[in-house]
Amino acid sequence: MSPSTSPPDSKLLVAKENTDGICPECGDTALQRYPVLSEGGWFEVVKCRECLASLSRTPWSRLGTVTRLEDTL
Ligand SMILES: [Zn+2]
């Protein structure tokens, strides 16, 4: 049923959102922004869909006043 090993970034509760940019690792533009839950709490990350490089990782409060996600839905 559930995988035996699950990296923090796989705990997705919100749909991924395409975002503009170029991956510095592989040069691809398939970047995605989404919140993830890890040891330090919620973070909003931007990752390359091709090579899974992390481009940014910023603290994100799911219960706060962040409206960016809602604004895009
Ligand atoms: Zn990449």
Side-chain angles (χ1 to χ4, degrees):
M1 289 302 190
S2 60
S4 57
T5 58
S6 179
D9 285 355
S10 71
K11 297 178 181 177
L12 303 178
L13 298 180
V14 186
K16 295 178 181 178
E17 168 192 352
N18 292 329
T19 186
D20 294 332
I22 298 178
C23 175
E25 298 294 330
C26 70
D28 205 287
T29 55
L31 306 184
Q32 292 186 316
R33 176 198 309 272
Y34 51 91
V36 298
L37 181 61
S38 64
E39 312 87 45
W42 282 94
F43 289 86
E44 185 186 69
V45 301
V46 176
K47 277 201 162 197
C48 173
R49 198 172 56 193
E50 287 300 314
C51 70
L52 301 182
S54 293
L55 278 69
S56 81
R57 182 183 179 90
T58 55
W60 185 75
S61 176
R62 190 162 165 265
L63 302 178
T65 56
V66 176
T67 56
R68 192 183 309 161
L69 282 176
E70 284 83 352
D71 287 345
T72 61
L73 292 177

Short mmCIF file of all heavy atoms in Angstrom, two decimals:
data_model
loop_
_atom_site.label_atom_id
_atom_site.label_comp_id
_atom_site.label_asym_id
_atom_site.label_seq_id
_atom_site.Cartn_x
_atom_site.Cartn_y
_atom_site.Cartn_z
N MET A 1 0.83 -1.20 0.00
CA MET A 1 0.00 0.00 0.00
C MET A 1 0.87 1.25 0.00
O MET A 1 1.14 1.86 -0.98
CB MET A 1 -0.93 0.02 1.23
CG MET A 1 -2.04 -1.00 1.14
SD MET A 1 -3.08 -0.77 -0.35
CE MET A 1 -4.40 -1.89 0.03
N SER A 2 1.40 1.60 1.18
CA SER A 2 2.24 2.78 1.27
C SER A 2 3.70 2.38 1.08
O SER A 2 4.11 1.32 1.54
CB SER A 2 2.05 3.47 2.62
OG SER A 2 2.39 2.59 3.66
N PRO A 3 4.46 3.23 0.40
CA PRO A 3 5.86 2.92 0.16
C PRO A 3 6.65 2.86 1.46
O PRO A 3 6.35 3.57 2.41
CB PRO A 3 6.33 4.06 -0.74
CG PRO A 3 5.37 5.17 -0.47
CD PRO A 3 4.06 4.51 -0.15
N SER A 4 7.65 1.99 1.50
CA SER A 4 8.44 1.83 2.72
C SER A 4 9.32 3.04 2.97
O SER A 4 9.54 3.43 4.10
CB SER A 4 9.30 0.57 2.62
OG SER A 4 10.12 0.66 1.46
N THR A 5 9.80 3.62 1.90
CA THR A 5 10.61 4.83 2.04
C THR A 5 9.95 5.97 1.30
O THR A 5 9.54 5.82 0.16
CB THR A 5 12.02 4.61 1.46
OG1 THR A 5 11.91 4.24 0.11
CG2 THR A 5 12.76 3.52 2.24
N SER A 6 9.82 7.10 1.98
CA SER A 6 9.15 8.24 1.38
C SER A 6 9.89 9.52 1.72
O SER A 6 9.88 9.94 2.86
CB SER A 6 7.71 8.31 1.90
OG SER A 6 7.04 9.42 1.34
N PRO A 7 10.57 10.12 0.75
CA PRO A 7 11.26 11.38 1.01
C PRO A 7 10.27 12.49 1.33
O PRO A 7 9.13 12.42 0.88
CB PRO A 7 12.00 11.66 -0.31
CG PRO A 7 11.24 10.90 -1.35
CD PRO A 7 10.70 9.69 -0.64
N PRO A 8 10.68 13.48 2.10
CA PRO A 8 9.77 14.56 2.52
C PRO A 8 9.08 15.22 1.36
O PRO A 8 7.91 15.56 1.45
CB PRO A 8 10.71 15.55 3.22
CG PRO A 8 11.85 14.73 3.69
CD PRO A 8 12.02 13.64 2.64
N ASP A 9 9.78 15.37 0.25
CA ASP A 9 9.21 16.08 -0.87
C ASP A 9 8.07 15.32 -1.54
O ASP A 9 7.40 15.85 -2.39
CB ASP A 9 10.29 16.38 -1.91
CG ASP A 9 11.17 17.52 -1.44
OD1 ASP A 9 10.87 18.10 -0.40
OD2 ASP A 9 12.17 17.82 -2.12
N SER A 10 7.87 14.08 -1.15
CA SER A 10 6.80 13.32 -1.78
C SER A 10 5.48 13.51 -1.05
O SER A 10 4.45 13.06 -1.50
CB SER A 10 7.16 11.84 -1.81
OG SER A 10 7.10 11.31 -0.51
N LYS A 11 5.52 14.18 0.10
CA LYS A 11 4.30 14.38 0.87
C LYS A 11 3.53 15.57 0.32
O LYS A 11 3.42 16.61 0.95
CB LYS A 11 4.63 14.59 2.34
CG LYS A 11 5.31 13.38 2.96
CD LYS A 11 5.67 13.66 4.40
CE LYS A 11 6.37 12.44 5.02
NZ LYS A 11 6.80 12.71 6.40
N LEU A 12 2.98 15.39 -0.83
CA LEU A 12 2.29 16.49 -1.49
C LEU A 12 0.81 16.47 -1.15
O LEU A 12 0.16 15.47 -1.30
CB LEU A 12 2.48 16.38 -3.00
CG LEU A 12 3.93 16.35 -3.47
CD1 LEU A 12 3.98 16.18 -4.98
CD2 LEU A 12 4.64 17.61 -3.07
N LEU A 13 0.34 17.62 -0.69
CA LEU A 13 -1.07 17.73 -0.39
C LEU A 13 -1.76 18.72 -1.31
O LEU A 13 -2.96 18.86 -1.30
CB LEU A 13 -1.26 18.17 1.07
CG LEU A 13 -0.70 17.20 2.11
CD1 LEU A 13 -0.96 17.74 3.51
CD2 LEU A 13 -1.33 15.83 1.96
N VAL A 14 -0.96 19.41 -2.10
CA VAL A 14 -1.51 20.43 -2.99
C VAL A 14 -0.99 20.17 -4.39
O VAL A 14 0.13 19.70 -4.56
CB VAL A 14 -1.09 21.84 -2.52
CG1 VAL A 14 -1.77 22.90 -3.36
CG2 VAL A 14 -1.41 22.03 -1.04
N ALA A 15 -1.81 20.44 -5.35
CA ALA A 15 -1.39 20.24 -6.74
C ALA A 15 -0.19 21.09 -7.08
O ALA A 15 -0.06 22.22 -6.63
CB ALA A 15 -2.55 20.56 -7.66
N LYS A 16 0.68 20.52 -7.88
CA LYS A 16 1.85 21.27 -8.32
C LYS A 16 1.43 22.36 -9.30
O LYS A 16 0.49 22.18 -10.07
CB LYS A 16 2.85 20.32 -8.98
CG LYS A 16 3.41 19.30 -8.02
CD LYS A 16 4.37 18.37 -8.74
CE LYS A 16 4.92 17.32 -7.80
NZ LYS A 16 5.82 16.37 -8.48
N GLU A 17 2.19 23.43 -9.23
CA GLU A 17 1.89 24.58 -10.08
C GLU A 17 3.09 24.87 -10.97
O GLU A 17 4.20 25.04 -10.48
CB GLU A 17 1.59 25.78 -9.18
CG GLU A 17 1.53 27.10 -9.91
CD GLU A 17 1.53 28.26 -8.94
OE1 GLU A 17 1.42 28.03 -7.73
OE2 GLU A 17 1.66 29.40 -9.40
N ASN A 18 2.86 24.92 -12.25
CA ASN A 18 3.96 25.25 -13.16
C ASN A 18 4.42 26.67 -12.91
O ASN A 18 3.63 27.57 -12.64
CB ASN A 18 3.52 25.10 -14.61
CG ASN A 18 3.25 23.65 -14.96
OD1 ASN A 18 3.87 22.75 -14.41
ND2 ASN A 18 2.33 23.41 -15.86
N THR A 19 5.72 26.87 -12.99
CA THR A 19 6.26 28.21 -12.77
C THR A 19 7.35 28.49 -13.79
O THR A 19 7.98 27.58 -14.31
CB THR A 19 6.80 28.33 -11.33
OG1 THR A 19 7.20 29.68 -11.11
CG2 THR A 19 7.99 27.43 -11.12
N ASP A 20 7.52 29.76 -14.08
CA ASP A 20 8.51 30.15 -15.08
C ASP A 20 9.92 30.07 -14.50
O ASP A 20 10.12 30.25 -13.31
CB ASP A 20 8.25 31.58 -15.55
CG ASP A 20 6.93 31.68 -16.31
OD1 ASP A 20 6.53 30.67 -16.92
OD2 ASP A 20 6.32 32.75 -16.27
N GLY A 21 10.88 29.81 -15.38
CA GLY A 21 12.26 29.76 -14.95
C GLY A 21 13.03 28.71 -15.73
O GLY A 21 12.45 27.93 -16.50
N ILE A 22 14.31 28.72 -15.52
CA ILE A 22 15.18 27.74 -16.18
C ILE A 22 16.00 27.03 -15.13
O ILE A 22 16.60 27.66 -14.26
CB ILE A 22 16.11 28.44 -17.20
CG1 ILE A 22 15.28 29.11 -18.29
CG2 ILE A 22 17.08 27.44 -17.80
CD1 ILE A 22 16.13 29.86 -19.31
N CYS A 23 16.02 25.72 -15.20
CA CYS A 23 16.79 24.93 -14.24
C CYS A 23 18.29 25.17 -14.45
O CYS A 23 18.79 25.00 -15.56
CB CYS A 23 16.46 23.46 -14.41
SG CYS A 23 17.47 22.39 -13.37
N PRO A 24 19.01 25.55 -13.39
CA PRO A 24 20.45 25.77 -13.52
C PRO A 24 21.22 24.46 -13.68
O PRO A 24 22.39 24.47 -14.06
CB PRO A 24 20.82 26.47 -12.20
CG PRO A 24 19.78 26.01 -11.23
CD PRO A 24 18.52 25.82 -12.03
N GLU A 25 20.58 23.37 -13.38
CA GLU A 25 21.26 22.07 -13.46
C GLU A 25 21.19 21.47 -14.86
O GLU A 25 22.19 21.00 -15.40
CB GLU A 25 20.65 21.10 -12.46
CG GLU A 25 20.78 21.54 -11.02
CD GLU A 25 22.24 21.56 -10.56
OE1 GLU A 25 23.02 20.74 -11.08
OE2 GLU A 25 22.58 22.38 -9.70
N CYS A 26 20.01 21.45 -15.45
CA CYS A 26 19.85 20.78 -16.75
C CYS A 26 19.33 21.72 -17.83
O CYS A 26 19.26 21.34 -18.99
CB CYS A 26 18.93 19.58 -16.60
SG CYS A 26 17.21 20.01 -16.31
N GLY A 27 18.98 22.96 -17.47
CA GLY A 27 18.56 23.93 -18.46
C GLY A 27 17.11 23.77 -18.90
O GLY A 27 16.64 24.46 -19.80
N ASP A 28 16.39 22.86 -18.28
CA ASP A 28 15.01 22.65 -18.66
C ASP A 28 14.12 23.73 -18.05
O ASP A 28 14.49 24.37 -17.07
CB ASP A 28 14.55 21.27 -18.18
CG ASP A 28 13.40 20.75 -19.01
OD1 ASP A 28 12.27 21.26 -18.86
OD2 ASP A 28 13.63 19.83 -19.82
N THR A 29 12.95 23.94 -18.65
CA THR A 29 12.04 24.96 -18.13
C THR A 29 10.82 24.33 -17.45
O THR A 29 9.85 25.00 -17.16
CB THR A 29 11.55 25.87 -19.27
OG1 THR A 29 10.97 25.08 -20.29
CG2 THR A 29 12.71 26.67 -19.85
N ALA A 30 10.91 23.04 -17.20
CA ALA A 30 9.79 22.34 -16.57
C ALA A 30 9.87 22.49 -15.06
O ALA A 30 10.07 21.53 -14.33
CB ALA A 30 9.81 20.86 -16.97
N LEU A 31 9.72 23.72 -14.61
CA LEU A 31 9.81 23.97 -13.17
C LEU A 31 8.43 23.94 -12.54
O LEU A 31 7.45 24.36 -13.14
CB LEU A 31 10.47 25.33 -12.91
CG LEU A 31 11.83 25.52 -13.56
CD1 LEU A 31 12.41 26.86 -13.14
CD2 LEU A 31 12.77 24.40 -13.21
N GLN A 32 8.38 23.45 -11.32
CA GLN A 32 7.11 23.38 -10.62
C GLN A 32 7.27 23.91 -9.21
O GLN A 32 8.27 23.66 -8.54
CB GLN A 32 6.60 21.94 -10.57
CG GLN A 32 6.19 21.42 -11.95
CD GLN A 32 5.56 20.05 -11.85
OE1 GLN A 32 6.05 19.20 -11.13
NE2 GLN A 32 4.50 19.84 -12.57
N ARG A 33 6.26 24.63 -8.75
CA ARG A 33 6.26 25.19 -7.41
C ARG A 33 5.16 24.53 -6.60
O ARG A 33 4.03 24.41 -7.06
CB ARG A 33 5.99 26.70 -7.51
CG ARG A 33 5.86 27.41 -6.17
CD ARG A 33 5.16 28.74 -6.36
NE ARG A 33 5.78 29.52 -7.43
CZ ARG A 33 6.81 30.34 -7.23
NH1 ARG A 33 7.29 30.51 -6.03
NH2 ARG A 33 7.33 31.00 -8.24
N TYR A 34 5.50 24.09 -5.40
CA TYR A 34 4.48 23.47 -4.58
C TYR A 34 4.95 23.41 -3.14
O TYR A 34 6.14 23.40 -2.86
CB TYR A 34 4.15 22.06 -5.08
CG TYR A 34 5.37 21.18 -5.30
CD1 TYR A 34 5.84 20.37 -4.27
CD2 TYR A 34 6.02 21.16 -6.51
CE1 TYR A 34 6.95 19.56 -4.46
CE2 TYR A 34 7.13 20.36 -6.71
CZ TYR A 34 7.58 19.56 -5.69
OH TYR A 34 8.68 18.77 -5.88
N PRO A 35 4.01 23.38 -2.21
CA PRO A 35 4.35 23.28 -0.80
C PRO A 35 4.64 21.85 -0.40
O PRO A 35 4.01 20.92 -0.90
CB PRO A 35 3.11 23.82 -0.08
CG PRO A 35 2.00 23.68 -1.05
CD PRO A 35 2.57 23.57 -2.43
N VAL A 36 5.62 21.68 0.48
CA VAL A 36 5.94 20.36 0.99
C VAL A 36 6.05 20.43 2.51
O VAL A 36 6.38 21.46 3.07
CB VAL A 36 7.26 19.82 0.42
CG1 VAL A 36 7.18 19.69 -1.09
CG2 VAL A 36 8.42 20.70 0.81
N LEU A 37 5.76 19.32 3.14
CA LEU A 37 5.87 19.25 4.59
C LEU A 37 7.11 18.44 4.95
O LEU A 37 7.23 17.28 4.59
CB LEU A 37 4.63 18.59 5.19
CG LEU A 37 4.60 18.46 6.71
CD1 LEU A 37 4.67 19.84 7.35
CD2 LEU A 37 3.35 17.73 7.15
N SER A 38 8.06 19.09 5.65
CA SER A 38 9.27 18.39 6.06
C SER A 38 9.49 18.62 7.55
O SER A 38 8.63 19.16 8.23
CB SER A 38 10.46 18.87 5.24
OG SER A 38 10.70 20.23 5.48
N GLU A 39 10.66 18.23 8.04
CA GLU A 39 10.92 18.28 9.48
C GLU A 39 10.72 19.69 10.03
O GLU A 39 10.24 19.87 11.14
CB GLU A 39 12.34 17.83 9.78
CG GLU A 39 12.73 16.53 9.09
CD GLU A 39 13.26 16.81 7.70
OE1 GLU A 39 14.08 17.73 7.57
OE2 GLU A 39 12.85 16.13 6.77
N GLY A 40 11.07 20.70 9.25
CA GLY A 40 11.01 22.08 9.73
C GLY A 40 9.64 22.72 9.55
O GLY A 40 9.46 23.88 9.83
N GLY A 41 8.67 21.94 9.06
CA GLY A 41 7.34 22.50 8.82
C GLY A 41 7.10 22.62 7.33
O GLY A 41 7.70 21.91 6.53
N TRP A 42 6.21 23.51 6.97
CA TRP A 42 5.86 23.68 5.57
C TRP A 42 6.87 24.56 4.85
O TRP A 42 7.28 25.59 5.35
CB TRP A 42 4.47 24.29 5.44
CG TRP A 42 3.39 23.30 5.66
CD1 TRP A 42 2.75 23.04 6.84
CD2 TRP A 42 2.83 22.40 4.70
NE1 TRP A 42 1.82 22.04 6.65
CE2 TRP A 42 1.86 21.63 5.36
CE3 TRP A 42 3.07 22.17 3.34
CZ2 TRP A 42 1.12 20.65 4.69
CZ3 TRP A 42 2.33 21.20 2.69
CH2 TRP A 42 1.37 20.45 3.36
N PHE A 43 7.23 24.12 3.67
CA PHE A 43 8.09 24.92 2.81
C PHE A 43 7.47 24.96 1.43
O PHE A 43 6.85 24.00 0.98
CB PHE A 43 9.49 24.30 2.71
CG PHE A 43 10.30 24.41 3.97
CD1 PHE A 43 10.17 23.46 4.97
CD2 PHE A 43 11.17 25.47 4.15
CE1 PHE A 43 10.91 23.55 6.14
CE2 PHE A 43 11.92 25.57 5.32
CZ PHE A 43 11.78 24.61 6.31
N GLU A 44 7.65 26.11 0.79
CA GLU A 44 7.26 26.19 -0.62
C GLU A 44 8.53 26.03 -1.44
O GLU A 44 9.48 26.79 -1.29
CB GLU A 44 6.61 27.54 -0.93
CG GLU A 44 6.10 27.59 -2.36
CD GLU A 44 5.58 28.97 -2.72
OE1 GLU A 44 6.39 29.90 -2.82
OE2 GLU A 44 4.36 29.10 -2.88
N VAL A 45 8.54 25.02 -2.28
CA VAL A 45 9.74 24.71 -3.03
C VAL A 45 9.49 24.90 -4.52
O VAL A 45 8.36 24.79 -5.00
CB VAL A 45 10.22 23.27 -2.78
CG1 VAL A 45 10.50 23.05 -1.30
CG2 VAL A 45 9.20 22.26 -3.28
N VAL A 46 10.56 25.19 -5.22
CA VAL A 46 10.52 25.19 -6.68
C VAL A 46 11.51 24.14 -7.14
O VAL A 46 12.69 24.19 -6.80
CB VAL A 46 10.91 26.56 -7.26
CG1 VAL A 46 10.95 26.50 -8.79
CG2 VAL A 46 9.92 27.62 -6.80
N LYS A 47 11.01 23.18 -7.88
CA LYS A 47 11.85 22.07 -8.31
C LYS A 47 11.76 21.86 -9.80
O LYS A 47 10.76 22.15 -10.43
CB LYS A 47 11.42 20.77 -7.60
CG LYS A 47 12.01 20.63 -6.21
CD LYS A 47 11.97 19.17 -5.80
CE LYS A 47 12.90 18.89 -4.64
NZ LYS A 47 13.17 17.46 -4.49
N CYS A 48 12.86 21.32 -10.34
CA CYS A 48 12.89 20.96 -11.75
C CYS A 48 12.23 19.59 -11.91
O CYS A 48 12.56 18.65 -11.21
CB CYS A 48 14.33 20.92 -12.25
SG CYS A 48 14.46 20.29 -13.93
N ARG A 49 11.32 19.51 -12.85
CA ARG A 49 10.59 18.27 -13.05
C ARG A 49 11.48 17.23 -13.73
O ARG A 49 11.22 16.03 -13.66
CB ARG A 49 9.34 18.55 -13.90
CG ARG A 49 8.28 17.47 -13.82
CD ARG A 49 7.03 17.92 -14.50
NE ARG A 49 7.24 18.32 -15.89
CZ ARG A 49 6.36 18.98 -16.63
NH1 ARG A 49 5.22 19.34 -16.10
NH2 ARG A 49 6.63 19.30 -17.87
N GLU A 50 12.49 17.68 -14.41
CA GLU A 50 13.35 16.77 -15.17
C GLU A 50 14.41 16.12 -14.30
O GLU A 50 14.57 14.90 -14.28
CB GLU A 50 14.00 17.53 -16.33
CG GLU A 50 13.05 17.86 -17.44
CD GLU A 50 12.42 16.61 -18.06
OE1 GLU A 50 13.16 15.65 -18.34
OE2 GLU A 50 11.19 16.59 -18.23
N CYS A 51 15.19 16.95 -13.57
CA CYS A 51 16.30 16.40 -12.80
C CYS A 51 16.06 16.51 -11.30
O CYS A 51 16.91 16.10 -10.51
CB CYS A 51 17.60 17.10 -13.19
SG CYS A 51 17.70 18.82 -12.65
N LEU A 52 14.92 17.07 -10.91
CA LEU A 52 14.52 17.16 -9.51
C LEU A 52 15.45 18.05 -8.68
O LEU A 52 15.51 17.92 -7.47
CB LEU A 52 14.45 15.76 -8.87
CG LEU A 52 13.46 14.81 -9.55
CD1 LEU A 52 13.43 13.48 -8.81
CD2 LEU A 52 12.06 15.41 -9.59
N ALA A 53 16.14 18.95 -9.33
CA ALA A 53 16.97 19.90 -8.60
C ALA A 53 16.07 20.88 -7.86
O ALA A 53 15.04 21.31 -8.37
CB ALA A 53 17.88 20.64 -9.56
N SER A 54 16.46 21.25 -6.64
CA SER A 54 15.71 22.23 -5.87
C SER A 54 16.24 23.62 -6.16
O SER A 54 17.40 23.91 -5.91
CB SER A 54 15.83 21.92 -4.38
OG SER A 54 15.19 20.71 -4.08
N LEU A 55 15.39 24.46 -6.71
CA LEU A 55 15.83 25.81 -7.06
C LEU A 55 15.61 26.77 -5.91
O LEU A 55 16.37 27.72 -5.73
CB LEU A 55 15.08 26.30 -8.30
CG LEU A 55 15.67 25.81 -9.64
CD1 LEU A 55 15.46 24.32 -9.81
CD2 LEU A 55 15.04 26.56 -10.79
N SER A 56 14.56 26.58 -5.16
CA SER A 56 14.33 27.45 -4.02
C SER A 56 13.50 26.71 -2.98
O SER A 56 12.80 25.75 -3.27
CB SER A 56 13.62 28.75 -4.45
OG SER A 56 12.24 28.52 -4.58
N ARG A 57 13.62 27.19 -1.75
CA ARG A 57 12.93 26.54 -0.65
C ARG A 57 12.69 27.60 0.42
O ARG A 57 13.60 28.03 1.09
CB ARG A 57 13.81 25.42 -0.10
CG ARG A 57 13.21 24.62 1.04
CD ARG A 57 14.24 23.60 1.51
NE ARG A 57 13.76 22.80 2.63
CZ ARG A 57 13.12 21.64 2.49
NH1 ARG A 57 12.89 21.18 1.31
NH2 ARG A 57 12.73 20.97 3.55
N THR A 58 11.46 28.02 0.54
CA THR A 58 11.16 29.10 1.47
C THR A 58 10.10 28.64 2.46
O THR A 58 9.18 27.90 2.10
CB THR A 58 10.64 30.34 0.72
OG1 THR A 58 9.53 29.96 -0.08
CG2 THR A 58 11.72 30.91 -0.18
N PRO A 59 10.22 29.08 3.71
CA PRO A 59 9.22 28.73 4.73
C PRO A 59 7.83 29.16 4.27
O PRO A 59 7.65 30.23 3.68
CB PRO A 59 9.66 29.54 5.95
CG PRO A 59 11.12 29.77 5.75
CD PRO A 59 11.31 29.91 4.26
N TRP A 60 6.86 28.33 4.51
CA TRP A 60 5.51 28.57 4.01
C TRP A 60 4.51 28.16 5.07
O TRP A 60 4.52 27.02 5.54
CB TRP A 60 5.31 27.77 2.72
CG TRP A 60 4.02 28.02 2.01
CD1 TRP A 60 3.70 29.11 1.28
CD2 TRP A 60 2.90 27.14 1.93
NE1 TRP A 60 2.45 28.98 0.76
CE2 TRP A 60 1.93 27.79 1.14
CE3 TRP A 60 2.61 25.87 2.47
CZ2 TRP A 60 0.69 27.20 0.86
CZ3 TRP A 60 1.38 25.29 2.19
CH2 TRP A 60 0.44 25.95 1.39
N SER A 61 3.65 29.09 5.43
CA SER A 61 2.65 28.80 6.45
C SER A 61 1.33 28.45 5.80
O SER A 61 0.69 29.28 5.17
CB SER A 61 2.46 30.01 7.37
OG SER A 61 1.43 29.74 8.29
N ARG A 62 0.96 27.19 5.94
CA ARG A 62 -0.28 26.74 5.30
C ARG A 62 -1.50 27.34 5.99
O ARG A 62 -2.56 27.48 5.41
CB ARG A 62 -0.33 25.22 5.37
CG ARG A 62 -1.43 24.60 4.55
CD ARG A 62 -1.13 23.13 4.32
NE ARG A 62 -2.32 22.43 3.85
CZ ARG A 62 -3.14 21.77 4.68
NH1 ARG A 62 -2.87 21.70 5.94
NH2 ARG A 62 -4.20 21.16 4.21
N LEU A 63 -1.33 27.69 7.26
CA LEU A 63 -2.46 28.23 8.00
C LEU A 63 -2.39 29.74 8.11
O LEU A 63 -3.19 30.36 8.78
CB LEU A 63 -2.49 27.63 9.42
CG LEU A 63 -2.58 26.10 9.45
CD1 LEU A 63 -2.54 25.61 10.88
CD2 LEU A 63 -3.86 25.63 8.77
N GLY A 64 -1.43 30.33 7.45
CA GLY A 64 -1.24 31.77 7.55
C GLY A 64 -2.08 32.52 6.54
O GLY A 64 -3.11 32.06 6.09
N THR A 65 -1.57 33.67 6.18
CA THR A 65 -2.33 34.53 5.29
C THR A 65 -1.81 34.47 3.87
O THR A 65 -2.01 35.37 3.08
CB THR A 65 -2.28 36.00 5.78
OG1 THR A 65 -0.91 36.39 5.90
CG2 THR A 65 -2.95 36.13 7.13
N VAL A 66 -1.07 33.39 3.56
CA VAL A 66 -0.56 33.24 2.21
C VAL A 66 -1.72 33.00 1.25
O VAL A 66 -2.49 32.06 1.43
CB VAL A 66 0.43 32.08 2.13
CG1 VAL A 66 0.89 31.86 0.69
CG2 VAL A 66 1.63 32.37 3.01
N THR A 67 -1.84 33.82 0.25
CA THR A 67 -2.96 33.69 -0.67
C THR A 67 -2.50 33.37 -2.08
O THR A 67 -3.29 33.35 -2.99
CB THR A 67 -3.78 34.99 -0.69
OG1 THR A 67 -2.92 36.07 -1.02
CG2 THR A 67 -4.42 35.24 0.66
N ARG A 68 -1.19 33.15 -2.23
CA ARG A 68 -0.68 32.97 -3.58
C ARG A 68 -1.31 31.77 -4.28
O ARG A 68 -1.70 31.83 -5.43
CB ARG A 68 0.84 32.78 -3.52
CG ARG A 68 1.50 32.89 -4.88
CD ARG A 68 2.99 32.63 -4.76
NE ARG A 68 3.57 33.45 -3.72
CZ ARG A 68 4.74 33.18 -3.15
NH1 ARG A 68 5.42 32.13 -3.50
NH2 ARG A 68 5.22 33.96 -2.21
N LEU A 69 -1.44 30.67 -3.56
CA LEU A 69 -1.99 29.48 -4.19
C LEU A 69 -3.45 29.67 -4.55
O LEU A 69 -3.89 29.36 -5.64
CB LEU A 69 -1.85 28.29 -3.25
CG LEU A 69 -0.45 27.68 -3.20
CD1 LEU A 69 -0.40 26.58 -2.18
CD2 LEU A 69 -0.07 27.14 -4.58
N GLU A 70 -4.21 30.22 -3.60
CA GLU A 70 -5.62 30.43 -3.87
C GLU A 70 -5.83 31.36 -5.04
O GLU A 70 -6.76 31.23 -5.83
CB GLU A 70 -6.32 30.99 -2.62
CG GLU A 70 -6.56 29.94 -1.54
CD GLU A 70 -5.32 29.73 -0.70
OE1 GLU A 70 -4.24 30.27 -1.04
OE2 GLU A 70 -5.42 29.04 0.32
N ASP A 71 -4.95 32.34 -5.15
CA ASP A 71 -5.07 33.32 -6.22
C ASP A 71 -4.93 32.69 -7.60
O ASP A 71 -5.43 33.21 -8.58
CB ASP A 71 -4.03 34.42 -6.07
CG ASP A 71 -4.37 35.35 -4.91
OD1 ASP A 71 -5.51 35.29 -4.44
OD2 ASP A 71 -3.48 36.11 -4.48
N THR A 72 -4.22 31.58 -7.65
CA THR A 72 -3.94 30.98 -8.95
C THR A 72 -4.93 29.88 -9.30
O THR A 72 -4.92 29.36 -10.39
CB THR A 72 -2.52 30.39 -8.96
OG1 THR A 72 -2.44 29.37 -7.96
CG2 THR A 72 -1.48 31.46 -8.67
N LEU A 73 -5.78 29.51 -8.36
CA LEU A 73 -6.73 28.42 -8.62
C LEU A 73 -7.99 28.94 -9.32
O LEU A 73 -8.36 30.08 -9.15
CB LEU A 73 -7.11 27.73 -7.31
CG LEU A 73 -5.97 26.94 -6.67
CD1 LEU A 73 -6.43 26.36 -5.34
CD2 LEU A 73 -5.49 25.83 -7.59
ZN ZN B 1 16.77 20.29 -14.07
#
